[in-house]
């Protein structure tokens, strides 16, 4: 960590040390009366980490427009530098998830060393067969892994195999495959044949996975296809992952479901089947809005973590989910949004750790619906900030990451170092 940021954090935390101590002690007493050991919760939260999406440190956009901010990252090394600031101030995001070819670079070992020097490792690597690259032989306009044309499918398979190779050089242990394949008109696509072609292509990718790797299949209800999507829901994803084999699992992006779908129940199904790959955390109100995690429906995020904590508590077999953010920051400083989102995810985890599992089991067995739901609400309504702040301070991170970040004037410095990027029309990145 740069000395300047370390000094700034120490001065920033010094002011808060006294109040934090009494807040922590007070919460500790309250939790002790509820049979909860606050230090045990703190240690679990301290061990919890998230991956940052490399595509999340640049300003995001929509199909209508993207309004780049000051000091935008120009390439993957700038992105790693920005990701490091998020981790240095929160301590909650020790890894980065790259997207190929958006993060292509000429020297992967240099990138690996640069990231490690900043305390960062690499989580799942994401392939991209949902957009065409300059000079690409076959277009993905009508799909990729499920395309009717064998040469286009082969090209998409080859790209995924290349992503595995890049991931191996960076120390990743998983490939995330999200395809936009689908149709816009009834009759345009033969659903069963498209799914079979997707499976056939995915088998070829699966065969190239190193022994200790996993393949994360990401389902999505719609966009860019607006009538049908080949991997449209958790059922299609589960079917595909079960067909492919034990290394294939289902990744849940919270924004990829129809409004009001009970995502926490989908999570429990995938946990029960040993097929939960992990998450792309974000929030949404309408579609795949990619808003900051917990910014619209924090109780929904809490209920997802309630299922995760219950699974860990019950030591469910094969339970080892990967935790990542996947957001588009269109109107905020991406670094501020990533920090506050990481803290919001930590918050949901900490609150879920406060649920009295024994009392909940008893209430469920007794069909005492009110007692059961009140046990969850009580945990959700507990202000766990003293625990989250204490975890950060103990790790030399900022008691209030956004306040410390603004005091660091990092964005202003990047605005000087990095030439401004003019608005280039629409698009998420
Ligand atoms: C698709 C998605 C997928 C990424 C992309 C950036 O909507 O969630 O995870 O590849 O966003
Ligand atoms: Mn996603």
């Amino acid at each position: 960590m740069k000395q300047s940021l370390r000094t700034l954090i120490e001065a920033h935390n010094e002011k808060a040390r006294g109040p934090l101590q009494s807040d922590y002690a007070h919460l500790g007493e309250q939790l002790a009366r509820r049979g909860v050991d606050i230090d045990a919760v703190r240690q679990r939260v301290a061990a919890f980490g998230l991956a940052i999406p490399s595509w999340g440190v640049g300003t995001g956009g929509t199909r209508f427009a993207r309004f780049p901010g000051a000091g935008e990252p120009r390439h993957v090394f700038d992105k790693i530098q920005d990701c490091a600031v998020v981790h240095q101030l929160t301590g909650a995001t020790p890894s980065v998830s790259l997207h190929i070819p958006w993060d292509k670079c000429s020297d992967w070992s240099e990138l690996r060393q640069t990231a490690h020097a900043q305390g960062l490792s690499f989580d799942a690597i994401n392939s991209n067969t949902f957009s065409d690259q300059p000079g690409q032989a076959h277009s993905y306009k009508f799909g990729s892994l499920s395309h009717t044309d064998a040469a286009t499918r082969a090209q998409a398979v080859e790209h995924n195999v290349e992503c595995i190779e890049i991931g191996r050089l960076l120390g990743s242990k998983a490939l995330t495959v999200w395809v936009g394949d689908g149709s816009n008109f009834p009759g345009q696509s033969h659903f069963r044949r498209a799914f079979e072609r997707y499976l056939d292509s995915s088998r070829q990718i699966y065969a190239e996975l190193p022994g200790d790797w996993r393949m994360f299949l990401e389902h999505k209800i719609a966009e860019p296809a607006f009538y049908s999507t080949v991997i449209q829901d958790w059922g299609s994803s589960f079917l595909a992952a079960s067909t492919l084999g034990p290394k294939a699992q289902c990744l849940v992006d919270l924004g990829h479901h129809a409004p009001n779908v009970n995502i926490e129940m989908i999570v429990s199904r995938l946990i029960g089947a040993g097929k939960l790959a992990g998450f792309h955390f974000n929030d949404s109100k309408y579609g795949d809005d990619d808003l900051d995690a917990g910014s619209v429906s924090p109780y929904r995020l809490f209920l997802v973590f309630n299922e995760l904590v219950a699974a860990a508590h019950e030591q469910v077999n094969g339970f080892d989910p990967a935790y990542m953010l996947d957001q588009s920051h269109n109107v905020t400083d991406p670094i501020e949004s990533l920090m506050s989102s990481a803290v919001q995810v930590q918050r949901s985890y900490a609150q879920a750790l406060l649920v009295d599992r024994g009392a909940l089991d008893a209430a469920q067995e007794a069909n005492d619906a009110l007692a059961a739901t009140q046990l969850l609400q009580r945990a959700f309504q507990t202000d766990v900030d003293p625990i989250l702040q204490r975890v950060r301070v103990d790790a030399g991170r900022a008691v209030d990451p956004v306040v410390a970040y603004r005091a660091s004037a990092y964005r202003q410095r990047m605005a000087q170092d990095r030439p401004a990027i003019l608005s280039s029309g629409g698009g998420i990145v």
Side-chain angles (χ1 to χ4, degrees), residues 128-173:
N128 175 343
T129 60
F130 51 82
S131 60
D132 291 345
Q133 307 310 316
Q136 188 175 299
H138 306 283
S139 171
Y140 295 134
K141 179 172 181 176
F142 294 105
S144 61
L145 297 178
S146 74
H147 199 291
T148 54
D149 171 59
T152 307
R153 297 197 301 276
Q155 176 184 273
V157 168
E158 197 186 319
H159 166 70
N160 279 278
V161 173
E162 184 200 357
C163 290
I164 294 172
E165 190 42 40
I166 293 168
R168 261 173 20 75
L169 294 170
L170 293 171
S172 293
K173 294 293 183 196

Side-chain angles (χ1 to χ4, degrees), residues 218 251 253 256 280 326:
E218 184 177 359
L251 184 133
D253 184 313
H256 287 188
H280 278 179
D326 179 3

Side-chain angles (χ1 to χ4, degrees), residues 55 99 126 176 178 218-220 251-256 279-282 288 290 325-327:
W55 59 96
H99 219 300
N126 297 265
T176 296
W178 169 68
E218 184 177 359
H219 60 272
K220 182 174 181 179
L251 184 133
V252 178
D253 184 313
L254 300 190
H256 287 188
F279 295 88
H280 278 179
F281 291 120
N282 48 53
D288 186 23
D290 281 339
L325 293 170
D326 179 3
Q327 300 175 177

Side-chain angles (χ1 to χ4, degrees), residues 215-420:
M215 187 172 170
F216 297 166
L217 310 184
E218 184 177 359
H219 60 272
K220 182 174 181 179
I221 187 166
E223 189 211 30
F226 293 108
Y227 170 64
S228 75
T229 293
V230 173
I231 305 298
Q232 177 152 16
D233 54 21
W234 77 277
S236 304
S237 182
F238 180 73
L239 202 50
S242 307
T243 307
L244 290 171
K247 292 184 205 165
Q249 295 180 309
C250 309
L251 184 133
V252 178
D253 184 313
L254 300 190
H256 287 188
H257 306 85
N260 307 325
V261 162
N262 188 327
I263 298 175
E264 57 271 22
M265 196 174 80
I266 293 172
V267 169
S268 75
R269 289 279 179 278
L270 293 171
I271 290 171
K275 280 294 187 186
L276 178 65
F279 295 88
H280 278 179
F281 291 120
N282 48 53
D283 213 332
S284 52
K285 194 159 179 61
Y286 305 105
D288 186 23
D289 311 340
D290 281 339
L291 301 174
D292 292 9
S295 63
V296 174
S297 310
Y299 196 52
R300 181 177 73 169
L301 186 60
F302 163 81
L303 292 174
V304 166
F305 271 92
N306 178 51
E307 292 302 324
L308 299 171
V309 169
H313 178 73
E314 294 150 27
Q315 297 172 325
V316 172
N317 216 2
F319 178 69
D320 178 23
Y323 300 113
M324 291 163 273
L325 293 170
D326 179 3
Q327 300 175 177
S328 181
H329 310 113
N330 304 355
V331 295
T332 57
D333 181 318
I335 289 178
E336 295 187 357
S337 274
L338 287 165
M339 293 194 295
S340 56
S341 302
V343 170
Q344 196 57 20
V345 173
Q346 265 186 335
R347 183 187 312 286
S348 299
Y349 176 49
Q351 290 168 332
L353 289 171
L354 303 184
V355 174
D356 183 334
R357 301 276 148 204
L360 183 61
D361 290 345
Q364 289 169 339
E365 290 308 311
N367 297 307
D368 186 344
L370 191 82
T373 205
Q374 285 194 333
L375 286 164
L376 296 190
Q377 288 170 346
R378 187 175 199 202
F380 175 70
Q381 287 150 5
T382 303
D383 175 4
V384 293
D385 254 336
I387 296 174
L388 305 182
Q389 292 166 349
R390 174 68 185 279
V391 166
R392 288 195 291 275
V393 168
D394 289 357
R397 317 294 173 163
V399 72
D400 188 324
V402 173
V403 170
Y405 170 73
R406 292 185 175 186
S408 77
Y410 177 81
R411 181 57 65 193
Q412 291 78 355
R413 275 186 283 119
M414 290 311 110
Q416 278 151 20
D417 299 356
R418 300 171 181 173

Side-chain angles (χ1 to χ4, degrees), residues 52 54 57 73 75-88 95-98 103 110-122 170 410 418:
I52 301 177
S54 61
V57 288
H75 44 63
V76 68
F77 287 89
D78 281 352
K79 294 177 184 178
I80 293 294
Q81 186 185 5
D82 292 357
C83 291
V85 170
V86 174
H87 187 46
Q88 283 159 3
S95 57
V96 180
S97 186
L98 294 188
D103 297 323
E110 185 195 355
L111 183 68
R112 185 173 184 165
Q113 280 152 26
T114 304
H116 286 188
Q118 312 241 17
L120 295 173
S121 63
F122 292 98
L170 293 171
Y410 177 81
R418 300 171 181 173

Side-chain angles (χ1 to χ4, degrees), residues 28-50:
E29 283 156 27
Q30 284 180 317
L31 293 180
R33 284 198 295 275
R34 286 156 56 173
V36 176
D37 170 4
I38 191 172
D39 291 327
V41 173
R42 174 170 56 75
Q43 277 144 24
R44 304 266 305 266
V45 173
F48 178 85
L50 278 169

